Amino acid sequence: MSTAKELPHEKAEWKGYTLDELRYMRAYTAARIEISRDRLKRNFTGLKKANPVKSGGMLGKVLGTLSYLDIALVTFRLGSKAFKVMRWFKRK
């Protein structure tokens, strides 16, 4: 006995989905998307609250106002400048 599901559109007598079936599938998909979106927002909010950069001090206050993307861009730019300076010192 096979455990594979037979899809409705593979049957010869299948005439298509009814309007009610289409509406049900559309509502079910919209509910699934909404639940996933809420779960993602809740996870992101928890991640934002647990930001280790927002500790006390001036550096924490400055970095606390920046988003993660801003911090990543600043770090990349500073890192590339530091590597250029290190290469310059190696040549001498």
Side-chain angles (χ1 to χ4, degrees):
M1 181 170 198
S2 176
T3 59
K5 272 188 166 178
E6 189 176 341
L7 298 175
H9 62 274
E10 293 176 349
K11 296 178 184 176
E13 67 273 359
W14 188 66
K15 301 289 186 201
Y17 290 111
T18 65
L19 191 57
D20 287 335
E21 289 173 328
L22 289 173
R23 286 178 180 156
Y24 173 79
M25 287 190 289
R26 187 174 180 185
Y28 181 76
T29 303
R32 256 193 10 239
I33 290 171
E34 189 66 29
I35 290 169
S36 297
R37 186 178 295 140
D38 287 343
R39 186 177 299 140
L40 186 63
K41 282 181 185 177
R42 186 174 49 243
N43 290 344
F44 184 72
T45 303
L47 185 74
K48 214 172 179 183
K49 287 180 182 176
N51 187 355
V53 175
K54 290 188 178 182
S55 59
M58 183 60 116
L59 182 64
K61 288 180 183 177
V62 169
L63 293 178
T65 60
L66 300 175
S67 69
Y68 288 109
L69 182 61
D70 292 331
I71 293 172
L73 288 174
V74 169
T75 305
F76 175 75
R77 288 184 179 171
L78 289 176
S80 63
K81 298 277 186 197
F83 285 124
K84 285 180 185 177
V85 169
M86 291 176 71
R87 262 188 268 148
W88 183 76
F89 278 122
K90 279 186 178 181
R91 279 191 237 157
K92 283 192 162 199

